[in-house]
Amino acid sequence: MLKSNSLAHGLVCALLVFGSVAVSANTREIEVDSQVVTEHKTTIKGKRVSYSATTGTQPVWDEEGKAVASLFYTYYQRSDVKEQENRPLIMSFNGGPGSASVWMHVAYTGPRTLRIDEEGYPVQPYGVQTNPYSILDVADIVFINPVNTGYSRVLKDEEGKLPSKEKQKEMFFGVNADVKYLAEWLNTFVSRHNRWPSPKYLIGESYGTTRVSGLALELQNSQWMYLNGVVLVSPTDIGIERNGPVKSANRLPYFAATAWHHNKLEPALQNLDLDELLPQVEEFTLNKLLPALAKGAFISAEEKAEITATMARYSGLSEKAIEQNNLDVSTAFFWKELLRDEGKTLGRLDSRYLGIDEKESGDRPDYWAELTSWLHSFTPAINDYIKNELKYETDLKYNMFGPVHPWDRSNNNTGKNLRQAMAQNPYLKVMIQSGYYDGATNYFDGKYNMWHIDPSGKMRDRLSFKGYRSGHMMYLRRADLEASNEDLREFIKASLPGEGVPAQYPR
């Protein structure tokens, strides 16, 4: 065992190394089962907090007990409290599919957060800083990187060969395969770290919401592990159909929020607060726009003109542009059109970000301004943080986005599975968090998901929604980093039953 002391960006660290993370100098392969533990102190909400950070790898085994992959993870556990096994445990996933669990790790819930400006834009020098709003004061957190993301990798067999691409897809790269092997992995993790007594939560962002929605039922049915909560950050459709007129209509509230942010609305609307504007737009969307789109080509000229005028008023686009799109304005066109006269395009995942195209003509941006900005700041920060603060060293490349495609999206019933998990477990609550300026997984689609997870309405009091004035990663904006973490704290508190309160449905 090695012991050392160092001061790292205001965190007091003591390094404890268990096992080896080194591999032969002639290979670049993952260490199948490894662990490095560092001890830290930080300040959260004005109070000092001591915690350990366990960074390592844990195998994925097949049905015969052979290691077929190894997943890289980082586990934060508060160390200055008694009865640690009873503290809530948050199991965190990002999405893609193919994305590392980096975004929420060093920008949202973890004890260290990205060094960026108040609105989320990159600054130099790159790196991380104390996250004064982290939920580590009330819950322990593990960030898991699925196969081929981060440092996680498929393993070679006894003959030194990787499984075929088709076999890998069958084992790991699909909606249901992903959920199955991750549930097994989580069972092992919970057992190794003595967390079976703990209240447990899943949080997923973007495609991670598909993942955790499926895991909620898979953990209950196959691992007999029951949850207190599931958090869906910037959710996908989770298998809930919203095509045709619904898909088209649901974009308008996002258009309105983004136009408001960029001061493209008429004064009467621009002078409203966003919280005053959006209910108007949502009501129009549900009660006027959706029925109009359902009529297709047989809508009357009078109604079409009325709808066109109102869409233009709320979206910041011209009536001509809306007419030319037959009332069905795509997000790509909106990103190109709203600020075309200024020579700027809008970001996809966060439309506060602006880009510059080669040509002002066209119907979609050349690139996603927000994603290039994020990779600009996240990539150096996570690589430096893991090596120099968490003391995990490897020659493997950290895959911000890994090779997982083609992804099998068939039989995606994850939304229905989440409903079934809630029905089977009266303790289980669900919260949705969305940014108003997210054009990829827009906030109104997130509300639509919430309305349709349980069509019976019998569990509506266990579903909640929180919106923020930023985009896909709402936590990049400093004010929303504080607000969203506080919403998580309140959600955790609300989903912890009183001692002795039974999990049952009263008659």
Side-chain angles (χ1 to χ4, degrees), residues 86-340:
N86 294 326
R87 273 172 55 81
L89 173 65
I90 312 294
M91 298 171 283
S92 181
F93 294 93
N94 275 102
S99 171
S101 285
V102 53
W103 318 101
M104 292 197 291
H105 181 181
V106 292
Y108 188 11
T109 54
R112 301 288 270 162
T113 190
L114 207 62
R115 187 181 294 129
I116 48 181
D117 78 356
E118 292 291 306
E119 292 298 316
Y121 292 92
V123 296
Q124 291 185 339
Y126 302 118
V128 295
Q129 58 190 346
T130 296
N131 181 359
Y133 312 117
S134 168
I135 58 170
L136 187 58
D137 58 334
V138 298
D140 299 329
I141 318 164
V142 57
F143 298 92
I144 305 109
N145 295 271
V147 171
N148 280 358
T149 72
Y151 295 133
S152 301
R153 297 293 190 271
V154 180
L155 298 178
K156 295 178 180 178
D157 61 20
E158 296 172 351
E159 298 178 355
K161 297 179 180 179
L162 288 172
S164 68
K165 294 291 185 182
E166 193 59 34
K167 183 64 176 176
Q168 290 184 39
K169 179 179 177 181
E170 178 186 326
M171 296 165 67
F172 308 116
F173 304 139
V175 173
N176 296 298
D178 181 70
V179 163
K180 183 177 180 181
Y181 86 80
L182 286 172
E184 289 283 346
W185 191 94
L186 288 171
N187 185 307
T188 302
F189 179 87
V190 166
S191 295
R192 283 188 173 189
H193 295 274
N194 193 31
R195 299 311 299 256
W196 278 101
S198 302
K200 299 173 193 67
Y201 297 79
L202 290 169
I203 182 171
E205 180 178 71
S206 196
Y207 183 83
T209 61
T210 300
R211 178 173 285 136
V212 300
S213 294
L215 275 169
L217 187 63
E218 181 70 14
L219 286 171
Q220 288 183 189
N221 286 357
S222 298
Q223 307 300 325
W224 311 287
M225 184 185 296
Y226 285 72
L227 305 170
N228 282 62
V230 173
V231 181
L232 308 179
V233 179
S234 303
T236 62
D237 60 22
I238 60 174
I240 295 173
E241 293 290 338
R242 50 177 195 236
N243 295 317
V246 170
K247 182 177 181 179
S248 300
N250 280 7
R251 299 174 189 139
L252 184 61
Y254 151 72
F255 291 166
T258 301
W260 180 88
H261 175 78
H262 290 291
N263 296 301
K264 298 297 286 185
L265 300 180
E266 64 181 50
L269 297 177
Q270 197 65 55
N271 291 334
L272 296 175
D273 186 75
L274 189 61
D275 290 336
E276 298 173 306
L277 170 67
L278 291 181
Q280 287 186 32
V281 185
E282 292 176 12
E283 182 180 7
F284 169 77
T285 298
L286 291 173
N287 298 326
K288 295 291 184 67
L289 179 57
L290 183 56
L293 288 169
K295 296 173 185 177
F298 286 76
I299 187 173
S300 70
E302 294 77 15
E303 183 179 5
K304 186 174 183 179
E306 178 186 345
I307 295 295
T308 299
T310 307
M311 283 186 70
R313 184 167 178 259
Y314 284 142
S315 68
L317 302 179
S318 69
E319 291 188 28
K320 183 176 182 180
I322 291 169
E323 288 172 354
Q324 289 174 334
N325 283 276
N326 301 322
L327 307 183
D328 183 6
V329 178
S330 71
T331 49
F333 178 79
F334 179 77
W335 301 324
K336 185 75 173 182
E337 180 70 13
L338 185 69
L339 301 181
R340 194 190 298 268

Side-chain angles (χ1 to χ4, degrees), residues 359-413:
K359 297 179 180 179
E360 292 180 8
S361 60
D363 59 3
R364 63 185 308 112
D366 293 348
Y367 67 100
W368 307 129
E370 80 296 334
L371 188 57
T372 56
S373 174
W374 296 341
L375 291 170
H376 196 294
S377 50
F378 275 90
T379 308
I382 190 65
N383 279 276
D384 179 72
Y385 175 58
I386 290 172
K387 180 178 180 179
N388 293 316
E389 287 198 33
L390 301 183
K391 306 302 181 183
Y392 190 92
E393 296 196 30
T394 177
D395 285 332
L396 284 175
K397 180 174 71 174
Y398 187 91
N399 285 339
M400 300 292 284
F401 297 100
V404 305
H405 297 284
W407 190 267
D408 182 1
R409 297 179 182 271
S410 62
N411 300 314
N412 180 1
N413 297 307

Side-chain angles (χ1 to χ4, degrees), residues 53-106:
T54 303
T55 309
T57 55
Q58 179 187 295
V60 175
W61 290 289
D62 65 13
E63 293 179 353
E64 297 176 356
K66 296 179 181 178
V68 292
S70 186
L71 302 191
F72 178 72
Y73 69 93
T74 306
Y75 171 44
Y76 297 101
Q77 185 175 23
R78 186 168 180 176
S79 55
D80 58 356
V81 293
K82 297 179 180 179
E83 299 183 355
Q84 289 181 341
E85 67 276 7
N86 294 326
R87 273 172 55 81
L89 173 65
I90 312 294
M91 298 171 283
S92 181
F93 294 93
N94 275 102
S99 171
S101 285
V102 53
W103 318 101
M104 292 197 291
H105 181 181
V106 292

Side-chain angles (χ1 to χ4, degrees), residues 42-53:
T42 190
T43 300
I44 300 174
K45 297 189 69 177
K47 297 181 179 179
R48 295 294 282 171
V49 172
S50 298
Y51 68 95
S52 64

